[in-house]
Amino acid sequence: MSQVRVLGELAVLDDVGPARRGRAYPAAGATSALLLPAAVLLGGLVLWPVLRTMHASVTTDGRWVGAAHFRAALATPGTGAVVGRTVLWALLVPAVVTALGYLLAAASRRSQEGGLVRLILLVPVALPLVVTGVTFRLMYDPDPSRGLATLVATRLTGRSVDDAPQLLGPGLVTVALMSAFVWAWVGLAVLVFRSALDAVPPSLADAVRAYGGGRRHVLWDAQWRPLLLRTTAVVFALVAVGTSRTFDLILVMTPGSVRDEASVLALRIWQTSGGTTTGDGAALGVVWLVAVIGGIIVAALFVRQAWPPPRVEAAPEPAPAAPPRRVFRLLAAGAAIAWLVPLAVLVATSAHGRVDAAARGWWSTTPTVESYRDVVTGTELWRTLSFTLLLATAVTATVLVVALLAAYPLAWLTGPAAQATGLLLLAASVVPIQVIAGPVNEVLGLVLSSGTAQGLALVHIALGVPFAVLVLRNAFADLPVEQVHDARLGGRRWWHTLRRLARHNLSAVVAVGVLEFVQVWNDLVVGRLFGGPGASPLGPFLAEQTRGFVSNSGALAASSVLASVLPVVLVVLSRRHLVAGLVSGGVR
Amino acid sequence: MRPALRASRRTLLRATAAGATALAAGCSGGSRSVQVAVVWSTSELDRFRDVVRGYSPNVQVVSAGNDIDAFLRARHLAGTSPDVAILPRPGLVTEYAQRGWLSPVRGSTEYAVPAGLGELLTAEGQRYGVWVKAAHKSLVWHLPSMLPVQPANWDALVRRTQELGALARRDGGPAPLAIGAADGWVLTDWFENVLADVAPESYNTLARPDADWQSRPVRDALDRLAGLWSIKGAFVGGGRRALLTQYEESVIQVVHTKRAVMLVGADFTADVADPFQRGPEAPVTFRFPGAEPGGGPLIVGGDAAVAFADARGGVELVEWLTRADSFQPWLRAGGYLSPNTNVTIDSYRDAVGQRLAEEMRTPRTLRFDLSDQLPGAFTGSDGVGIWRIMQGFFADVTDGVRASEAIRRATGLLATAARSAGGGR
């Protein structure tokens, strides 16, 4: 009976919750007005470009050609390997990140050093992926007198300097890229798992123990089945979608001669179409689009739950529980140290001048501030930083306004309409920009010239809105009845209600704001595709400098450090809001 | 029907543009700046700004970076093309001209370039671009102390490489050659130099759409390259390591760490070499050796200025850029080689510049960079086209694959790439 009752908690977790429809619902006219900005943005800059790409993939100059482009694109030598590698990325990397994330989340709970461990793991999450690429390329430098990892590998394998293992060579380059990606993403998985673990009522574990369950049973019945299954699926899907960002890493980390051995669909599409709409590029794009959206919808159905989401009771303080075993705590500490090494390499390289950084390892000469002086006294970095700050602030503010307006009426939908909206928003938020770059450029051409700051901002806004709406909609729908009541009674009009609700949803708003800001700040692809002379943000600025890697390492590392300060500070300071906001909204 | 339709649409566009510019002129008090898009950045960009200041303070120079093609396509789609662009490849000039994006231009009376260069910028008998900057790509760099006697011809270079390679393998001396094989253009520059020497008469035919990339000259050139590249110990750290070495690092291996003796590189190698020079010893150059002593090939690259259709003041600015003294500020600052033979040799501030300019005027052997003339994706980029194919060939021959087999693979890929680039797009 009790055993059943233990599992009976499950039913509570997946309960539909109290009905609370029909309050504070804006009138039809107001609803259309609220949804209009988001609809126009998504329709013009996401939906139409997707349709246009699909059209281009089956036509040549408007003439129907059937599957000819698909056949041509797939028959190009190497496409099979590229598709295979993309799939490998989408399966292997999320599996590793999820497993590591769970392990480290469990190992860093309820121990004194756990907070510090999680803080260290969080820093790479906030770094621009370009900076991650720079960091790992420095570490994997094929010359053992400069590359720390190559030096260690040479010592370990006992090979001569001329025969050093080449982590960036054709054989290992994908492994090298994956290691950088895992480094950057594990922190996020730890964050999500930790909040999921905290949400599991400890009474469950006690009950399992009381009925003679061992450690294994506790893990299975009190952690895995009630909550972690969903969380794992969510983390897996999140990381799988994230692997489409490998583009930045490949561009920065791979020398030209091994780019083919590292290539994935994102890169192949870039190489085939270069930001314009061509038949073959569009065909590859459609293949990718179908795979990404199909995958995310399968994941979403797999982890679907009742809508509106049930209210999870606040978990009682799990204070009396024992900290993890010593071996786990050591694991967590070891991971933290391993995660610090790349950061240390980046900072140490930045503390060397141009000649020192190029000629010998950072460990063999004394640090100077030469590179920082060069970078700071030049005008270029400051111009880029201030432009990016302006861009990211403007985009974040606009996305928040547009998404708050749209999320409010959407939060009151129920049943299949709500599910469908959720899936649509999810699909829109994972459309890879490379696929639709050509049509987006055409749209920008109609509205205002591409290659301008406004054009760049518009694309960022359109790409940021779907996710923001999703998170805020879920957060609104999560609000307890009393708060909705208060807001409804206190606000004379729906916008008063909206403002009050937004205030109650501070965590979700902060999470969306910080994520959007960091996303724009860290972006490379959008800047590459839609930037121009007057609109050159940080990502492309850093990536441009990686052409002369060795001869410019010092200054490159220094610019990377300076560029990373703001996103790291923002993410670290707002980490509690991020978790709360995302868990209440985004990760549903 | 169609041409008429197109003409009328163009007239309409022109009228709209004229209206818009008139409006803009009206708003801004009559002075509208001429916009120039260039590939240059940092110091080169500053130099070019100094140059156009001599034309008018109203010239706005924007740097489009290495992706100038994508940049100009996007601007064209948006209907906001710049007035003038400086393009790094002649293939782009003819491509844009055929699409009707460009307006014909004229050089000034002082404009004269070496034979064979001018034709590269014409389409349907009209001139659509002028050369404004040149690069000398047939140089071998070394420190005098590391190589007392310069090889006089190809065979001497091979012998010297064998000797130095054997020394390097025996007691860890410097490798004979540094090569930035991670950058595909480094390898195509090698290939072009050898090809221009092996088969000077078929060099230019390979740029045509009907080129035969499996022909004898291509195979001979690759065979000669394989003979040198496959020498044991020829490159710092071996072939696999060379494929991960970027061009700038290869310069450092010669001038700073002295792990290699020689480096094939263009005149702009000096820009990288300067900051890494150790002590008073500066690197020197000799011409890329050919089969005959003193008769090496001469490959040049260059940047061409074009004016966009309906641009205001574009054609005039392009014409002004071809005057003999327009680029004086850049000449005085150094790091600039003029394609214009009417620029006096005395304008170059140093002896090296003077000698390179002199060499450019010997018409006998001058060839324009072949890979820059190839169509579509064949022209090469990281992981794409002829860059990738030459890197595959380099990997094969340095990895012990027999030369005949490596050549068969490479020519097969070249032929396929040429076909798909010529047919599509």
Side-chain angles (χ1 to χ4, degrees), chain A residues 121-455:
Chain A
L121 295 181
L122 191 62
V123 170
V125 176
L127 292 186
L129 217 45
V130 178
V131 171
T132 305
V134 168
T135 307
F136 275 77
R137 175 123 180 213
L138 290 172
M139 209 164 69
Y140 292 156
D141 190 308
D143 198 319
S145 67
R146 284 191 305 261
L148 182 66
T150 311
L151 177 73
V152 172
T154 311
R155 292 274 161 81
L156 287 180
T157 54
R159 299 207 205 167
S160 72
V161 169
D162 276 352
D163 198 26
Q166 290 169 348
L167 293 152
L168 293 179
L172 292 173
V173 66
T174 297
V175 178
L177 289 165
M178 286 178 172
S179 67
F181 194 88
V182 169
W183 181 76
W185 277 70
V186 159
L188 192 66
V190 170
L191 217 60
V192 177
F193 272 115
R194 196 221 163 195
S195 67
L197 285 172
D198 286 353
V200 177
S203 53
L204 268 166
D206 295 342
V208 173
R209 279 197 205 94
Y211 278 81
R215 191 176 274 276
R216 198 162 53 84
H217 295 111
V218 170
L219 191 70
W220 183 252
D221 285 328
Q223 291 193 349
W224 177 255
R225 287 175 66 170
L227 250 185
L228 292 181
L229 181 65
R230 269 197 68 228
T231 310
T232 305
V234 166
V235 171
F236 194 97
L238 206 65
V239 180
V241 169
T243 57
S244 63
R245 299 288 185 76
T246 47
F247 179 80
D248 302 18
L249 277 183
I250 295 177
L251 226 51
V252 173
M253 274 178 73
T254 57
S257 60
V258 290
R259 197 152 287 178
D260 265 12
E261 277 83 2
S263 186
V264 293
L265 270 175
L267 192 75
R268 184 52 78 90
I269 289 168
W270 167 269
Q271 288 172 339
T272 323
S273 58
T276 54
T277 321
T278 66
D280 291 5
L284 277 181
V286 169
V287 170
W288 191 23
L289 204 60
V290 168
V292 172
I293 293 184
I296 200 77
I297 287 179
V298 167
L301 292 178
F302 181 57
V303 301
R304 73 165 173 213
Q305 66 172 130
W307 182 265
R311 253 187 84 197
V312 179
E313 299 297 325
E317 272 303 300
R325 277 188 295 180
R326 179 183 292 255
V327 58
F328 277 113
R329 292 176 64 175
L330 281 177
L331 176 85
I337 291 169
W339 253 245
L340 272 179
V341 170
L343 290 177
V345 168
L346 181 70
V347 174
T349 309
S350 72
H352 287 85
R354 184 174 186 178
V355 174
D356 275 350
R360 54 193 76 82
W362 47 264
W363 56 84
S364 51
T365 47
T366 47
T368 65
V369 291
E370 188 190 321
S371 285
Y372 283 100
R373 206 180 47 224
D374 290 352
V375 169
V376 169
T377 51
T379 56
E380 225 172 339
L381 180 75
W382 294 122
R383 209 173 43 220
T384 314
L385 284 178
S386 47
F387 172 75
T388 314
L389 183 67
L390 202 68
L391 179 76
T393 313
V395 168
T396 308
T398 318
V399 164
L400 274 178
V401 170
V402 172
L404 274 171
L405 291 181
Y408 178 62
L410 288 181
W412 309 108
L413 287 178
T414 48
Q419 300 276 8
T421 322
L423 283 183
L424 262 179
L425 287 170
L426 202 58
S429 61
V430 297
V431 169
I433 182 65
Q434 285 103 324
V435 173
I436 55 169
V440 167
N441 238 333
E442 290 166 24
V443 175
L444 285 184
L446 291 177
V447 198
L448 30 82
S449 62
S450 62
T452 60
Q454 298 96 307

Side-chain angles (χ1 to χ4, degrees), chain A residues 77 137 141-146 159 161-170 254-261 270-272 274-276 354-356 358-360 380 438 441-442 444-446 448-451 528-529 531-534 544 546-552, chain B residues 35 41-42 49 61-67 70-71 73-80 168 181-185 235-249 252-253 256-257 259 271-272 275-278 377 381-384 387-388 391 413 416 425:
Chain A
R137 175 123 180 213
D141 190 308
D143 198 319
S145 67
R146 284 191 305 261
R159 299 207 205 167
V161 169
D162 276 352
D163 198 26
Q166 290 169 348
L167 293 152
L168 293 179
T254 57
S257 60
V258 290
R259 197 152 287 178
D260 265 12
E261 277 83 2
W270 167 269
Q271 288 172 339
T272 323
T276 54
R354 184 174 186 178
V355 174
D356 275 350
R360 54 193 76 82
E380 225 172 339
N441 238 333
E442 290 166 24
L444 285 184
L446 291 177
L448 30 82
S449 62
S450 62
R528 264 262 161 126
L529 286 167
E544 253 331 290
T546 60
R547 295 187 75 81
F549 226 97
V550 172
S551 67
N552 198 27
Chain B
Q35 198 183 48
S41 57
T42 61
R49 287 203 169 115
V61 183
V62 294
S63 171
N66 287 309
D67 259 346
F71 169 79
R73 279 163 198 269
R75 295 285 294 261
H76 180 80
L77 280 174
T80 55
D183 293 320
W185 56 267
F235 301 107
V236 184
R240 283 196 314 143
R241 173 72 175 82
L243 279 166
L244 301 183
T245 305
Q246 281 185 309
Y247 159 74
E248 303 201 344
E249 185 186 356
I252 295 168
Q253 288 173 342
H256 187 88
T257 55
R259 290 168 65 184
D271 296 343
V272 189
F276 286 97
Q277 185 176 324
R278 270 161 89 181
S381 164
D382 280 333
V384 178
W387 289 21
R388 178 77 190 118
Q391 284 168 333
L413 290 171
T416 314
R425 240 171 132 87

